[in-house]
Amino acid sequence: MKLILAATIVALTAASCCSKSNAPKTLVLYYSLTSNTKAVAEEIANRLGADIEEIVCVNPYDTNFQGCIQRCKQEREQGVLPDIQPVKADLNQYDVVFLGYPVWFGTYAPPIAKYLLIEDLSGKKVVPFCTFGSGGLESSIDDLKAEEPYAEILPGYGVRAARMDAMPKEVEQFLIAGGFIKGEYTPLADFPEQHEVSAEEAAIFDAAVDAIP
């Protein structure tokens, strides 16, 4: 009986070690200018217990909206991307990469574009997440798929800067829906039928975008 018990314990221990070693290792990698994307990245990393690293520009962008847009516009016209500091994380050590960014000009911010030129995400599961003023999740994911055709780009998460208070709960639901954490998923309700915008609805929209130039 003791021999059987000992053998059972050894088998369970081996299975446990095997299960842990086979669990996908996850990296949360992000670029953030105003700290909104950083907040989302930290929320994801905390819930997953994942490694996290920030992509940092050698010459940081101006946090002033107009200054940032002007520089970004000039870079786009000149076809140049900003230099970034070396990323310490070794991609070979990770199976899943959560890639976060603010949306500028309808796609991921230039520091992310520079990173994608330097590193190859082929063979990785990539989960995009982004912050924005007026949208850009879908268009940025399309660009990411075109840039990384041999990576598996999974459904992404995006949140407007005006709705950051709702972000923690939305991230939880997003991770549950993606099978990254356990929990009860509550599907979002379908959009209602299209109709003429009421004065009340217009006021809600105006308040949401009031601070966006």
Side-chain angles (χ1 to χ4, degrees), residues 55-67:
I55 293 174
V56 179
C57 284
V58 173
N59 178 21
Y61 283 88
D62 194 334
T63 55
N64 173 271
F65 180 84
Q66 293 299 338

Side-chain angles (χ1 to χ4, degrees), residues 103 106 131-138 159-162 205 209 212-213:
V103 172
T131 58
F132 45 76
S134 58
L137 173 63
E138 293 81 6
V159 60
R160 284 181 169 79
F205 177 82
V209 301
I212 302 173

Side-chain angles (χ1 to χ4, degrees), residues 61 71 75 79-84 109-115 117:
Y61 283 88
R71 173 182 164 184
E75 290 176 341
V80 299
L81 293 171
D83 291 329
I84 60 174
I112 294 294
K114 185 58 175 271
Y115 176 78
L117 283 180

Side-chain angles (χ1 to χ4, degrees), residues 80-110:
V80 299
L81 293 171
D83 291 329
I84 60 174
Q85 296 180 12
V87 172
K88 298 177 182 178
D90 179 5
L91 282 184
N92 293 323
Q93 304 300 315
Y94 299 94
D95 307 293
V96 181
V97 178
F98 280 75
L99 187 64
Y101 48 85
V103 172
W104 297 353
F105 290 89
T107 190
Y108 40 77

Side-chain angles (χ1 to χ4, degrees), residues 29 55 110 130 157 165 172 179 187:
L29 184 63
I55 293 174
C130 61
Y157 168 74
D165 288 347
E172 178 187 51

Side-chain angles (χ1 to χ4, degrees), residues 101 107-108 136-147 153:
Y101 48 85
T107 190
Y108 40 77
L137 173 63
E138 293 81 6
S139 56
S140 64
I141 289 179
D142 287 343
D143 290 342
L144 186 58
K145 288 179 178 178
E147 185 66 31
I153 310 299

